[in-house]
Amino acid sequence: MPRKFKPSTPLSIGTEIELQLIDIKTLNLSDKAALIVADINDKKHIKHELTRSMLEINSSVHLQLTELKQELAAQVQRVRATAQRHQCDVTGGGRHLCNDWKDQLITNAQRYKKLATRFGYISKMACVFGQHIHIGVSNGDESIYLCHALTPYFPQLLALSASSPYYQGEDTLFASSRFSAQNSFPNYGCIEKIYSWQEFTEYYDTLTSAGVIESIKDIYWDARPKPELGTVEIRVCDTPLHISHAANLVGYCRLIARYLLKNRHEIIPEYNAFSMYNKLNACRHGLQADYVDAQTLQRCSLAEHILTTLTRLHPEAVDDEERQLLQTLERFVRRGANDADNIRRLLDSGLTQPETIKRMCDALLVPMS
């Protein structure tokens, strides 16, 4: 039971990144994750995921973004070198371009086998790849506050990370189609109308007593508290194509969280329809989406919403690294092209889907300009 919330260093950062395991010859997904995880033998940082074609990198806890970037780059280099010894490679991207969900094999672990028994084909269709971002907080009430206060920024994160435009070889017309594999699970999406740690504990106890959930892992909110880690876990992002961009998104989330904690406001309940509308627009149109403010009912472009946020965060930057981060994200937004757009550009230039996947593998360790 999550009755106790283990406090962590406020605004410490960490991330989990799910990578696609790619067969070097076919450029399709490979089911050799168990071999690679066993070879690396670092269960703290390199783990299995739901299917055998998924690898998860878990960072350590950091206070400095530079250190997180260095660790992630080193972990990816290690995973990639090990994968290549098994005739595989790894790439970012929220979804394989042409994978057939029926071909996926569930990882041989008790939790995943249980999920497959319970959810059937949904488990195989959930072979999608995301980035989870952890922000350290002082207590449970703070974690619940941030889960709500971060909600207006989730469409931004969706557009900034979107990298799953294709599904089973077809253009979905979405920048991020990954959500379609996630939203079939119960307890997915917006946080419940819960506003304190006590209320969350009562919610958790009620659901576990009724057998609706077994653990906090069965709560798939866009952001959820992680009491054993002392963090808020943000769960909306596709896995970016560049590991440096993934690290920048962690830094951006920390800046937003710092701003929200410094400028606390009362959480005013709003219709979930606003959140769902904005998130779906971000998934569909990426940086070209529009955005509706749930409080003022004013409409603007999502790109404008991001740029306004970046301007608001500039006074909160504590060092040159954070100021450079904001400038990098501003350039990214003003270019108007995210990873999904770049994948489509490669395909539109005449590359085949396998050739595009090879380019995606090679891009993983290339720094974002």
Side-chain angles (χ1 to χ4, degrees):
M1 296 182 184
R3 296 185 181 279
K4 293 184 179 180
F5 189 95
K6 177 184 176 182
S8 63
T9 303
L11 299 174
S12 54
I13 50 176
T15 190
E16 305 158 54
I17 299 176
E18 296 163 347
L19 296 176
Q20 304 180 42
L21 184 60
I22 302 294
D23 182 278
I24 285 179
K25 293 182 179 178
T26 68
L27 280 304
N28 210 331
L29 290 173
S30 169
D31 61 3
K32 295 181 180 179
L35 291 174
I36 294 161
V37 170
D39 272 11
I40 295 175
N41 193 27
D42 181 1
K43 294 181 179 179
K44 183 177 179 181
H45 296 105
I46 311 298
K47 299 183 179 182
H48 297 287
E49 248 297 334
L50 179 58
T51 74
R52 301 182 194 182
S53 58
M54 305 173 74
L55 290 168
E56 182 177 274
I57 292 178
N58 283 208
S59 79
S60 305
V61 178
H62 292 280
L63 297 178
Q64 300 299 321
L65 186 59
T66 298
E67 295 175 358
L68 175 66
K69 288 182 176 180
Q70 291 171 346
E71 182 193 22
L72 289 176
Q75 297 287 24
V76 170
Q77 287 174 332
R78 181 167 61 149
V79 168
R80 196 175 189 201
T82 305
Q84 288 173 346
R85 291 200 295 270
H86 292 280
Q87 300 303 302
C88 296
D89 209 335
V90 289
T91 182
R95 205 169 210 162
H96 191 272
L97 298 186
C98 48
N99 155 70
D100 189 328
W101 68 268
K102 297 188 296 295
D103 295 335
Q104 293 311 297
L105 301 174
I106 300 298
T107 296
N108 187 26
Q110 183 177 359
R111 169 171 166 74
Y112 299 132
K113 290 191 291 185
K114 196 169 184 177
L115 283 173
T117 299
R118 182 181 180 189
F119 294 113
Y121 81 104
I122 294 174
S123 300
K124 289 189 176 184
M125 292 190 72
C127 181
V128 291
F129 304 83
Q131 176 185 8
H132 298 170
I133 295 169
H134 289 263
I135 306 295
V137 292
S138 300
N139 54 65
D141 286 336
E142 200 168 78
S143 74
I144 298 298
Y145 165 75
L146 278 180
C147 286
H148 284 287
L150 285 163
T151 296
Y153 302 94
F154 293 150
Q156 296 189 16
L157 296 173
L158 284 164
L160 290 168
S161 68
S163 59
S164 51
Y166 272 66
Y167 178 48
Q168 296 194 165
E170 297 293 328
D171 191 334
T172 65
L173 304 183
F174 275 70
S176 173
S177 68
R178 171 177 161 269
F179 77 98
S180 67
Q182 301 287 345
N183 63 6
S184 297
F185 289 100
N187 309 309
Y188 171 85
C190 300
I191 184 174
E192 299 268 13
K193 303 301 189 233
I194 292 168
Y195 301 101
S196 70
W197 185 246
Q198 179 61 37
E199 290 180 1
F200 178 80
T201 298
E202 292 169 359
Y203 168 83
Y204 183 89
D205 287 347
T206 300
L207 267 60
T208 52
S209 296
V212 174
I213 64 173
E214 294 185 357
S215 77
I216 204 163
K217 290 184 177 181
D218 297 322
I219 297 174
Y220 297 101
W221 295 339
D222 298 329
R224 68 184 179 188
K226 291 289 282 184
E228 72 277 19
L229 299 178
T231 67
V232 169
E233 179 187 17
I234 301 164
R235 302 169 47 81
V236 297
C237 296
D238 280 6
T239 297
L241 296 187
H242 300 261
I243 205 70
S244 62
H245 187 50
N248 285 340
L249 293 181
V250 178
Y252 185 47
C253 287
R254 175 165 64 177
L255 278 166
I256 295 172
R258 182 190 297 149
Y259 175 84
L260 292 170
L261 291 170
K262 181 179 177 181
N263 301 278
R264 290 195 186 219
H265 61 274
E266 180 184 358
I267 299 299
I268 302 173
E270 61 187 46
Y271 295 121
N272 287 341
F274 283 108
S275 177
M276 297 303 294
Y277 176 86
N278 286 325
K279 288 189 298 179
L280 185 64
N281 276 349
C283 288
R284 173 67 174 85
H285 299 290
L287 294 169
Q288 286 72 49
D290 65 353
Y291 179 89
V292 175
D293 187 300
Q295 301 301 322
T296 67
L297 307 187
Q298 296 297 307
R299 184 181 295 267
C300 66
S301 71
L302 182 56
E304 180 184 347
H305 189 249
I306 298 172
L307 292 172
T308 299
T309 302
L310 293 173
T311 299
R312 186 179 298 132
L313 293 176
H314 267 287
E316 307 298 323
V318 298
D319 53 29
D320 288 341
E321 181 180 59
E322 291 191 342
R323 285 184 281 272
Q324 183 176 353
L325 165 65
L326 293 171
Q327 292 168 3
T328 299
L329 291 174
E330 181 178 350
R331 287 196 300 270
F332 185 91
V333 174
R334 291 194 183 281
R335 280 198 297 264
N338 57 19
D339 286 342
D341 297 313
N342 291 330
I343 289 170
R344 285 196 176 98
R345 178 181 54 79
L346 291 174
L347 291 166
D348 290 345
S349 73
L351 291 183
T352 65
Q353 290 183 9
E355 289 169 339
T356 300
I357 294 167
K358 179 63 171 65
R359 293 281 188 94
M360 291 164 60
C361 292
D362 292 338
L364 193 57
L365 285 167
V366 175
M368 287 287 292
S369 59

